[in-house]
Amino acid sequence: MGGEMTDKKIHEPPKKESAILIAAKNGVTEIVDKILELFPVAIHDMNVDKKNIVLLAVENRQPHVYRYLHKRNILVDSVFRKVDKDGNSALHLAAKLGDYKPWLIPGAALQMQWEIKWYEFVKDSMPPHFFPRCNKAGKTAKDMFTETHQELVNNGGEWLTNTSESCSVVAALIATVAFSTASTFPGGIKQDSGTPTLENQPAFDVFAISSLVALSFSVTSLIMFLSILTSRYQERDFGRDLPRKLLVGLTSLFVSIASILLSFCAGHFFVLKDKLKYAAFPVYTVTCLPITFFAVAQFPLYFDLIWTTFKKVPQRSYKVVL
């Protein structure tokens, strides 16, 4: 009889998660809200690892669910202070990088930036010293963050190095061309006064200004990319410093490319305006195709940079697959 009971206990199926825990893990805030409205006691549900709704929302990077629970401001001490079976608090789980990558964004550097923002958001959401300092293994949340994100930091540094090297080559080439065009005036210079022959022409003003803009922004872009290449790629640098440098570098590079093409078109306008007047604008259109292709290829990264730089709380990109 005792053997049968022991065998039954061994083969007993594991405890299933409740509906509210599954909803929190998958970021379905509407279901969480409805369950708490009908069954307020469900806020205390825990799974087999002793993780409640807050711990699961934080671990699975569900900002909407966490903000919803934080705004309700119910049972903060008893719900937000809970730890799992390993003694990990919500801040420990925010610091721990799992096997999945919830932030669907290109580049390990931007993923690292959002990981830092998520950790800081959870940390700042509660008063200082609210979360337990150490888990059962004696590790703080900061220790866990550094330990689990080391590979992502290395990958982010490698990604930034490759991106900066490629873009710095383009920026250096544009700076060289812009310097040459800025010191060469179409139509030559008047021998008696030393002023440009075509200085009163509108196209000449466009040429002069665009050449100067291309030179200035290409040098700015080159400086930004070189500063990234010489960075030590410390963990904290991925939060603000490196992404902002990359954003400024890419912005300057886009402006310099557009300016050097505008300078080219304005400089050749004097050659084409009489003999090939009607063919000038189609030629300019074809000339601008390279920057169009480059923009189409790089704008997704550019917009992701803007999104991650100015967004305080990272946005979940896809739901966890059960």
Side-chain angles (χ1 to χ4, degrees), residues 35-46:
I35 292 176
L36 290 180
E37 180 183 341
L38 299 175
F39 309 101
V41 72
I43 193 72
H44 297 290
D45 286 1
M46 292 187 296

Side-chain angles (χ1 to χ4, degrees), residues 98-310:
D99 295 331
Y100 56 89
K101 300 294 187 293
W103 317 121
L104 191 59
I105 195 167
L110 302 188
Q111 293 179 17
M112 185 62 190
Q113 183 186 23
W114 276 26
E115 280 290 300
I116 292 175
K117 287 196 172 188
W118 176 240
Y119 173 78
E120 291 179 345
F121 171 69
V122 175
K123 181 181 179 181
D124 297 339
S125 65
M126 293 297 168
H129 311 295
F130 179 85
F131 298 111
R133 179 173 174 79
C134 297
N135 59 13
K136 290 183 179 180
K139 294 181 179 179
T140 64
K142 183 64 177 176
D143 295 336
M144 186 172 291
F145 189 94
T146 301
E147 180 182 324
T148 59
H149 287 80
Q150 187 59 49
E151 183 179 356
L152 190 60
V153 169
N154 295 335
N155 293 337
E158 184 179 349
W159 180 82
L160 279 174
T161 298
N162 294 335
T163 303
S164 299
E165 285 178 349
S166 301
C167 292
S168 60
V169 171
V170 178
L173 179 62
I174 293 174
T176 303
V177 175
F179 181 79
S180 300
T181 56
S183 57
T184 304
F185 303 109
I189 299 176
K190 296 178 182 178
Q191 296 295 330
D192 53 344
S193 61
T195 57
T197 306
L198 304 173
E199 62 178 340
N200 295 323
Q201 298 287 336
F204 180 82
D205 295 335
V206 173
F207 167 82
I209 295 174
S210 58
S211 298
L212 181 60
V213 170
L215 179 60
S216 300
F217 278 90
S218 60
V219 172
T220 301
S221 176
L222 187 59
I223 291 174
M224 288 295 104
F225 290 126
L226 288 178
S227 66
I228 293 175
L229 289 173
T230 55
S231 175
R232 294 178 296 174
Y233 298 125
Q234 295 294 314
E235 181 182 291
R236 62 180 180 273
D237 295 337
F238 288 89
R240 294 178 181 85
D241 185 49
L242 291 175
R244 287 180 180 177
K245 286 181 179 179
L246 183 59
L247 180 61
V248 173
L250 284 177
T251 302
S252 301
L253 184 60
F254 288 145
V255 174
S256 64
I257 292 175
S259 300
I260 199 67
L261 287 176
L262 183 61
S263 172
F264 170 80
C265 294
H268 283 73
F269 175 77
F270 302 103
V271 179
L272 300 176
K273 68 175 183 176
D274 295 326
K275 298 181 180 179
L276 300 173
K277 181 178 181 180
Y278 297 103
F281 291 102
V283 170
Y284 297 156
T285 303
V286 173
T287 304
C288 292
L289 284 178
I291 190 175
T292 304
F293 293 146
F294 183 78
V296 170
Q298 297 297 328
F299 270 177
L301 171 61
Y302 184 73
F303 288 132
D304 284 331
L305 266 174
I306 296 176
W307 178 259
T308 55
T309 300
F310 296 102

